[in-house]
Amino acid sequence: LDLKSARSNAFKPDWLNYAPPQPAAEGIQVIHKQDLQELIAFIDWTPFFITWGLKGKFPAILDNPTIGKHAQELYADALNMIDEFIATDSVTAAAVWAVFPAYRADDDIQVLDNNGKPLDVIYGLRQQNRQQDERANYCLSDFVASKDGPDDWVGAFAVTASLGLDKVTDAAKAQHDDYRAILAKAVADRLAEAFAEMLHKKVRTETWGYATSEALDNNQLIKEKYRGIRPAPGYPACPDHTPKDALWRLLKVEENIGITLTESKAMWPSASVSGWYFSHPQAKYFNVGKIADDQLTDQAERRGMDKQELAKWLASNLAN
């Protein structure tokens, strides 16, 4: 669809009969050193085994007649690695997050401070593929109320579980122990994802507090049965990595927990996760997919950015 038509088919929540939840806590919050033991219960182990070429869901994979023994050994080594991280204090985890006042401005989200002063803009991309079954053409801004609607908020977060990991992997490589180096990295990746999961639960039940009675087990969390979403820049709902710049400014990520962005907007250290929080009960994950030249032009104008430069960042999403 052309952009105008896609926007006319935007998802339109019923703001007249819905009051966005007001956060229970305001301001930027930081965890400088997270207890790694607490994260184990939130780990999704299935991708860990995929790292080693072992396909199967956890914990069933441990009893697989063909690869179960190998999976058990890997699992034991991973848990021992976490114990080592804790005992030696060699690898640590940190997080920063906040919930900000915000309102929708067409396809974008204007983020404010607690006094209503503009802080930054989250630029959104809208689906332009023609939808079937009367489905909407989604954009993340659809899940936030407009300026003339009720007060609303949006959250931001960044976590890492690999502070100090380089020393561990470098030492392993120096000893020609590739297995240990890969294991440490794979474990740190799982801890970072687990930290993102645990922090999101904390935000839902405490910081934002819109799901105080939530009682989901880890399997339900993995299946995203919770209310709200936490889309990450670079993923289908917001495939552009450049909004990480706004996230880093809003949370002062580098100053607070030491995660930096490379020129390609990759996070360093690499076992890190960042993204946004949306609380609307109808908020859902979606795939922006291909966008047309009219949206690229419109986005570049909104951002005051060179169109060809933006095209490089959105190359995989540009329609032929």
Side-chain angles (χ1 to χ4, degrees):
L1 300 175
D2 61 85
L3 183 57
K4 183 179 179 181
S5 298
R7 284 174 170 165
S8 68
N9 192 42
F11 174 66
K12 300 177 179 65
D14 180 6
W15 296 108
L16 293 177
N17 297 298
Y18 171 75
Q22 183 171 350
E26 297 180 344
I28 294 174
Q29 301 191 54
V30 182
I31 296 175
H32 291 290
K33 192 173 182 181
Q34 167 64 33
D35 180 1
L36 300 186
Q37 192 70 41
E38 190 179 356
L39 300 180
I40 296 176
F42 291 88
I43 293 178
D44 178 4
W45 285 105
T46 299
F48 171 77
F49 294 106
I50 293 175
T51 300
W52 303 93
L54 302 181
K55 294 183 179 180
K57 286 195 173 185
F58 179 86
I61 192 173
L62 301 179
D63 298 318
N64 184 287
T66 306
I67 59 175
K69 188 174 184 298
H70 189 31
Q72 291 172 23
E73 293 171 353
L74 281 168
Y75 183 50
D77 287 349
L79 292 177
N80 288 335
M81 181 68 75
I82 296 174
D83 287 342
E84 180 186 324
F85 288 170
I86 295 170
T88 61
D89 203 29
S90 54
V91 176
T92 58
V96 58
W97 73 100
V99 182
F100 299 94
Y103 63 83
R104 177 180 62 81
D106 296 320
D107 290 350
D108 303 327
I109 301 168
Q110 176 66 62
V111 184
L112 312 168
D113 66 14
N114 290 325
N115 296 315
K117 178 183 177 182
L119 286 178
D120 225 311
V121 178
I122 304 170
Y123 294 98
L125 291 168
R126 182 170 298 282
Q127 292 175 317
Q128 280 191 265
N129 287 322
R130 190 179 299 277
Q131 302 298 314
Q132 296 180 352
D133 303 324
E134 298 183 355
R135 286 179 294 176
N137 286 78
Y138 284 95
C139 178
L140 286 175
S141 64
D142 295 346
F143 306 132
V144 180
S146 60
K147 192 173 184 178
D148 58 1
D151 290 342
D152 207 349
W153 292 262
V154 68
F157 76 95
V159 305
T160 183
S162 53
L163 298 174
L165 180 66
D166 282 353
K167 290 183 179 179
V168 174
T169 56
D170 288 348
K173 291 173 184 176
Q175 297 293 321
H176 306 290
D177 191 345
D178 290 342
Y179 173 70
R180 177 177 167 80
I182 296 170
L183 180 67
K185 174 71 166 60
V187 166
D189 285 342
R190 288 298 90 211
L191 287 171
E193 294 289 349
F195 200 176
E197 194 73 81
M198 190 202 78
L199 186 63
H200 194 189
K201 180 177 181 179
K202 182 180 180 68
V203 169
R204 294 192 303 271
T205 60
E206 298 175 26
T207 309
W208 209 332
Y210 60 81
T212 54
S213 60
E214 178 181 293
L216 302 175
D217 61 28
N218 193 41
N219 194 44
Q220 290 172 307
L221 294 179
I222 291 170
K223 292 180 178 178
E224 300 166 352
K225 297 299 184 181
Y226 46 76
R227 170 178 162 178
I229 57 174
R230 62 166 189 275
Y235 283 74
C238 43
D240 182 8
H241 283 272
T242 59
K244 286 178 184 173
D245 289 333
L247 197 155
W248 254 242
R249 289 190 296 265
L250 287 166
L251 296 178
K252 298 179 173 58
V253 176
E254 186 172 351
E255 299 93 314
N256 279 316
I257 60 172
I259 308 177
T260 60
L261 293 176
T262 67
E263 286 188 5
S264 62
K265 307 304 177 189
M267 292 174 284
W268 186 261
S270 59
S272 302
V273 184
S274 63
W276 311 106
Y277 294 133
F278 293 84
S279 68
H280 196 284
Q282 291 176 280
K284 58 177 283 184
Y285 295 105
F286 59 90
N287 184 5
V288 168
K290 298 294 185 182
I291 66 168
D293 187 71
D294 58 351
Q295 183 162 189
L296 176 66
T297 301
D298 187 86
Q299 175 101 186
E301 290 175 353
R302 284 168 15 226
R303 298 171 65 163
M305 190 173 180
D306 179 75
K307 181 180 174 180
Q308 296 307 313
E309 176 65 20
L310 183 58
K312 294 177 183 178
W313 289 102
L314 297 177
S316 62
N317 288 89
L318 299 181
N320 294 330

